Amino acid sequence: MSSARPEPLSLTSALVRLTREKPVTQADLDMAALFTLDALANSLAGRNSAPGRILLKWFDGNSAANVAPDPGRMAFLLGGLCHILETDDLHRESVVHPGCVVVPAAYALAAKYGKGGRELLTAILHGFEAAARVGMAVGPEHYRIWHNTATCGPFGAAMAAAALLDLDDEAAINALGNAGSQSSGLWQFLETGAMTKHLHAGHAAEAGVRAGELAALGFTGPARILEGEKGFFRAACPDADPDAVTRNPDAPWQLVRTSIKPWPSCRHTHPTIDAGEELRARLTRDGVSLDQIAEIVVETYQAALDVCDRPVAASDYEAKFSLQHSIAAALICEQVNFDAFGEKARADCAGLAAKVRVLRADPWASAYPASWGGRVTIRLASGETLHAERTNAKGDPEAPLSKQDMIAKAKMLLTHGKVAEPDRLIDAILDMATGGETPALNLF
């Protein structure tokens, strides 16, 4: 007599189980608080921008007076704001910016339902885990057309929502299924520098919140949204690696494998900026004028070329997605800050940027996405060459920012966002790791 073989777990089922079985230490909560600080500081700073002002006008115009904001719409607003200035975090192996999706979703729900700081931070660990693990499985071809933050982010937002809404495993699977069915976000906006990228983060955050809230009421979703015959991988991931969703279950939380940006530009430009700052110091030390530079060669990986090969940058936003401008700015500007991508800096850097040649080269091409590196070579008119290379960029787990660096970055962002008493908000966010309450944000 034969017995029926049990049906294997769906990938979302296995992901829920894996995530909920991972232990959470005090060190994990401390790190989650720093990443939460980074994301919320980015959201508040993003208000001080043209797209940010549009998002705030939209939100304010659709809000009822004296009524607590709907968490889905709040998540959309915070997510959109967080992704504007190009200073939010990045998980390299998945090419996902988890913070701009997971933190807004989790914060909006924690604020509405009165969840404490440690509950919020635990949910954020869960959300980063889901977004990153799905992102690691989509394969490199997906990223050529689809924006991974937009397509994988909803899974992270839903996982965070499941934790904060106390969903059982079945309801959490429903939430991930319906969040994944809303995955969307195309790179077409890069051709014109449209504001669409901010919409991607906001939609992904809101999709996870909605899916979680509906699952709490019994709204069902597809368990095999990832691997099904009409699921996400089949539809949008020609070289998917489904096993990556659950590979290495005992690895550290993916949040601690996430990079923090020190410069306000696309992460693909950061190895180049990092190397460029080293070369600027060497040129200054040796008394070499930038006028003596005949050519600059940037060697990197294919994804950096796909997204950031932009010889002429006509706006701040295009400059943030230009390897050519970024290396010129690193060599010319004393600090690669917001001003380094502005109109004056673009004019100052244009001549040097025109001398830049970018190309795909190993070992950086083969090492991507586990490692995001590159080399910059400067050829002087005399024939002398100088070069600097990075296996990883500043802010990666292998070259991390210190706690004080991250606090200083947050203070810079909050000051840019015209936040009153930034130190008080920083302390309140970090105190969540040791039992503090979820702090209120004043967005208007």
Side-chain angles (χ1 to χ4, degrees), residues 337-376:
N337 53 21
F338 294 123
D339 292 340
F341 301 90
E343 184 176 2
K344 183 180 184 303
R346 295 197 305 275
D348 293 343
C349 294
L352 195 56
K355 298 179 180 181
V356 177
R357 181 162 55 94
V358 300
L359 54 93
R360 179 187 184 278
D362 278 327
W364 304 281
S366 299
Y368 176 84
S371 174
W372 293 34
R375 176 164 58 190
V376 176

Side-chain angles (χ1 to χ4, degrees), residues 88-120:
D88 52 330
D89 58 41
L90 175 84
H91 183 271
R92 292 170 303 176
E93 292 90 341
S94 64
V95 204
V96 169
H97 299 270
C100 65
V101 176
V102 173
V103 173
Y107 178 84
L109 286 167
K112 164 139 190 208
Y113 294 106
K115 299 293 184 176
R118 292 172 72 91
E119 291 176 285
L120 171 59

Side-chain angles (χ1 to χ4, degrees), residues 13 48 77 81 96 112 139 160 195 227 247 372 375 388 443:
S13 303
N48 187 11
L77 175 65
L81 291 172
V96 169
K112 164 139 190 208
M195 298 176 183
E227 73 275 29
R247 189 174 292 141
W372 293 34
R375 176 164 58 190
L443 289 169

Side-chain angles (χ1 to χ4, degrees), residues 183-437:
S183 293
S184 181
L186 300 164
W187 280 115
Q188 184 61 31
F189 68 88
L190 281 174
E191 286 194 5
T192 60
M195 298 176 183
T196 312
K197 193 165 187 269
H198 325 317
L199 174 72
H200 286 179
H203 172 262
E206 183 177 22
V209 169
R210 295 277 183 242
E213 289 185 317
L214 287 168
L217 299 174
F219 203 87
T220 60
R224 300 191 183 280
I225 187 62
L226 291 170
E227 73 275 29
E229 285 298 311
K230 299 184 188 303
F232 179 48
F233 291 158
R234 178 61 62 91
C237 310
D239 56 353
D241 178 15
D243 290 344
V245 174
T246 54
R247 189 174 292 141
N248 300 324
D250 297 325
W253 286 99
Q254 294 302 321
L255 182 143
V256 306
R257 294 291 305 152
T258 302
S259 302
I260 289 288
K261 287 184 175 184
W263 300 294
S265 60
C266 177
R267 187 62 174 174
H268 292 310
T269 68
H270 284 204
T272 298
I273 293 172
D274 202 2
E277 289 200 331
E278 177 187 328
L279 290 168
R280 183 184 73 218
R282 288 165 59 183
L283 291 170
T284 301
R285 180 197 65 197
D286 297 340
V288 178
S289 166
L290 296 180
D291 293 338
Q292 298 179 48
I293 295 176
E295 182 184 41
I296 302 170
V297 178
V298 175
E299 298 171 87
T300 187
Y301 47 90
Q302 187 60 48
L305 301 181
D306 291 342
V307 177
C308 296
D309 181 3
R310 187 162 284 102
V312 178
S315 67
D316 294 31
Y317 198 68
E318 288 187 7
K320 291 170 184 274
F321 284 83
S322 170
L323 287 164
Q324 291 87 345
H325 175 83
S326 293
I327 182 57
L331 293 170
I332 291 174
C333 301
E334 290 187 11
Q335 287 186 308
V336 182
N337 53 21
F338 294 123
D339 292 340
F341 301 90
E343 184 176 2
K344 183 180 184 303
R346 295 197 305 275
D348 293 343
C349 294
L352 195 56
K355 298 179 180 181
V356 177
R357 181 162 55 94
V358 300
L359 54 93
R360 179 187 184 278
D362 278 327
W364 304 281
S366 299
Y368 176 84
S371 174
W372 293 34
R375 176 164 58 190
V376 176
T377 300
I378 293 176
R379 182 171 62 82
L380 300 178
S382 65
E384 181 185 357
T385 61
L386 302 87
H387 77 268
E389 60 184 58
R390 294 291 185 270
T391 301
N392 303 289
K394 184 178 180 180
D396 282 341
E398 298 82 2
L401 300 183
S402 69
K403 178 179 179 180
Q404 290 309 311
D405 286 338
M406 292 182 70
I407 290 172
K409 177 192 171 185
K411 190 167 183 178
M412 179 270 292
L413 287 167
L414 294 172
T415 300
H416 182 77
K418 306 184 187 309
V419 173
E421 299 184 291
D423 291 331
R424 179 177 294 184
L425 180 58
I426 290 169
D427 289 343
I429 292 172
L430 297 182
D431 284 348
M432 291 193 297
T434 52
E437 296 302 311

